[in-house]
Amino acid sequence: MGDKNIILTGDRPTGRLHLGHYVGSLKRRVELQNSGKYDDIYILIADDQALTDNADNPRKIRDNIVNVVLDYLSVGIDPKKTTICVQSALPALHALTFYYTNLVTTARLSRNPTVKSEIQMRGFAEEGLPTGFFIYPVSQAADITAFNANVVPVGEDQLPMLEQAREIVEKFNRIYGETLVLPTAMIPENEMQRRLPGVDGKAKMSKSLGNCIYLSDDSKTVKKQVNGRMFTDPTHLQITDPGHTEGNVVFTYLDALCNDGHFAEYLPEYANLEEMKEHYRRGGLGDGTCKKFLINILEETLSPIRAERAKWEADIDSVYDIIKEGTEKAIETTNETLARVRKAMKIDYFEDRSIIGEWKELLKH
Ligand code: ATP
Ligand code: MG
């Protein structure tokens, strides 16, 4: 424990994965997977967590498991290097969650800024807040620690969850002795990739907000999202007007996605994004050109992903076997952690008969 490099990440099977997932986390996961620097890499399909705000819609979660796995495989997650597993099939996670709730106050949970905004977004402030949703950061701490992960590559919205997990680990280790690995978040260096906004300009591209470009969208849909829904600069009426690049959704996406190679390929009049922005600010660069450039980049990014998805879609039996085998391995790993936790908490009565000796000793007096 503690001397290995282990990654855990996960996604809620509430829909197909989108460009925000790609830039915020998936792309990084593939790079880390292929770096060869990690002893173990796990991806958890967080169906139990998804049920905390979808209890009335189990069909949605069941159906989206396959979508999420297909998205993983199509971006280059390799099941030989990365273990893909399903949360609900790992009973150790439930037990750990229950124990960890004792280490967290309700006041602390109420302060979590991501959960606060999600409560608003889902209308729970008016309807009432499901307890399971309220405590999902605790279950996420269970996920991370169960796999002994020290590295967790996530988007910015997950930082409060990582902070919560670290607090739980520190408190657990303080009370029960050094048992759990302290995890660290790994967020993208590129600021726009940490929290990609929606095509509608809303703060976050999110399945629940319906403002996504999905990794499995076809070319026509992608074009429609860019041309029809992305706003640029409302004060940039004529091509010759000076324009603003800040808060301009098209430029935010370019910030997140483009590199100098894209200019050489599709827009050679500029060497890089800075030159292009400079021209836009000066006036004389039309929104149509900017959108067309973005569409070219999106196509270059998404077309190999689509092709790979099509291959796996034709082989769903293998997809099933991949997550079944991954889950079997994960059951072992998480059970080992649970056994360690139970021992540290002195509730491992039936591991061996040593407690009999303790009781006898106790009863002598
Ligand atoms: P939901 O609306 O159901 O919560 P979601 O779109 O927020 O779905 P999650 O499954 O909650 O997706 O998030 C999975 C991972 O993707 C997390 O690491 C999260 O930080 C990252 N992520 C999600 N949306 C974005 C985004 N717009 N930009 C960057 N990273 C993101
Ligand atoms: Mg989310």
Side-chain angles (χ1 to χ4, degrees), residues 161-288:
M161 312 310 159
L162 257 294
E163 201 40 52
Q164 178 71 80
R166 289 172 62 88
E167 284 172 29
I168 289 172
V169 168
E170 278 164 354
K171 192 159 184 189
F172 189 101
N173 288 347
R174 201 166 57 241
I175 299 174
Y176 303 111
E178 237 6 78
T179 310
L180 301 172
V181 177
L182 191 66
T184 317
M186 187 188 262
I187 63 167
E189 275 149 39
N190 177 321
E191 202 187 321
M192 300 305 164
Q193 295 183 351
R194 290 179 197 163
R195 186 186 297 252
L196 190 73
V199 288
D200 56 357
K202 285 216 178 101
K204 185 173 167 270
M205 181 178 282
S206 160
K207 287 171 257 167
S208 308
L209 292 174
N211 57 7
C212 304
I213 292 178
Y214 291 100
L215 299 176
S216 48
D217 278 346
D218 60 22
S219 310
K220 217 172 110 203
T221 310
V222 171
K223 225 182 210 166
K224 226 163 78 188
Q225 294 282 49
V226 175
N227 287 329
R229 291 189 71 193
M230 270 188 199
F231 60 81
T232 49
D233 171 11
T235 68
H236 186 241
L237 297 171
Q238 312 264 351
I239 289 190
T240 48
D241 289 340
H244 297 87
T245 52
E246 306 258 311
N248 180 322
V249 185
V250 174
F251 279 97
T252 306
Y253 276 60
L254 288 176
D255 272 322
L257 293 165
C258 86
N259 58 46
D260 296 355
H262 291 133
F263 282 95
E265 176 91 23
Y266 305 112
L267 207 57
E269 37 291 43
Y270 311 105
N272 53 45
L273 187 57
E274 227 7 83
E275 280 187 28
M276 180 185 178
K277 282 184 176 173
E278 179 53 36
H279 192 184
Y280 191 84
R281 290 191 203 112
R282 213 166 54 230
L285 172 57
D287 289 327

Side-chain angles (χ1 to χ4, degrees), residues 71-105:
D71 286 324
Y72 294 153
L73 296 169
S74 57
V75 298
I77 295 293
D78 176 354
K80 288 195 203 71
K81 298 178 183 156
T82 296
T83 305
I84 305 175
C85 55
V86 178
Q87 189 179 34
S88 59
L90 308 175
L93 301 182
H94 306 143
L96 290 174
T97 303
F98 191 68
Y99 299 139
Y100 295 171
T101 54
N102 299 336
L103 307 178
V104 182
T105 65

Side-chain angles (χ1 to χ4, degrees), residues 12 21 49 114 118 122 136 157-158 204 206-208:
R12 295 152 39 94
H21 296 119
Q49 192 192 116
T114 301
E118 288 175 339
R122 285 160 174 76
Y136 91 71
D157 61 310
Q158 292 300 312
K204 185 173 167 270
S206 160
K207 287 171 257 167
S208 308

Side-chain angles (χ1 to χ4, degrees), residues 18 29 48 105 151 296 331:
H18 54 65
R29 294 184 210 176
D48 281 339
T105 65
V151 179
N296 279 326
I331 289 173

Side-chain angles (χ1 to χ4, degrees), residues 20-92:
H21 296 119
Y22 184 70
V23 299
S25 180
L26 287 176
K27 201 166 156 243
R28 192 53 156 306
R29 294 184 210 176
V30 175
E31 285 161 11
L32 295 173
Q33 167 195 271
N34 295 336
S35 74
K37 289 188 186 146
Y38 291 86
D39 297 293
D40 267 314
I41 305 178
Y42 294 93
I43 298 185
L44 182 70
I45 303 176
D47 60 338
D48 281 339
Q49 192 192 116
L51 283 165
T52 64
D53 57 333
N54 289 280
D56 55 352
N57 201 355
R59 185 86 241 171
K60 172 168 133 188
I61 309 308
R62 186 177 172 94
D63 290 348
N64 277 305
I65 290 191
V66 70
N67 272 322
V68 170
V69 188
L70 285 169
D71 286 324
Y72 294 153
L73 296 169
S74 57
V75 298
I77 295 293
D78 176 354
K80 288 195 203 71
K81 298 178 183 156
T82 296
T83 305
I84 305 175
C85 55
V86 178
Q87 189 179 34
S88 59
L90 308 175

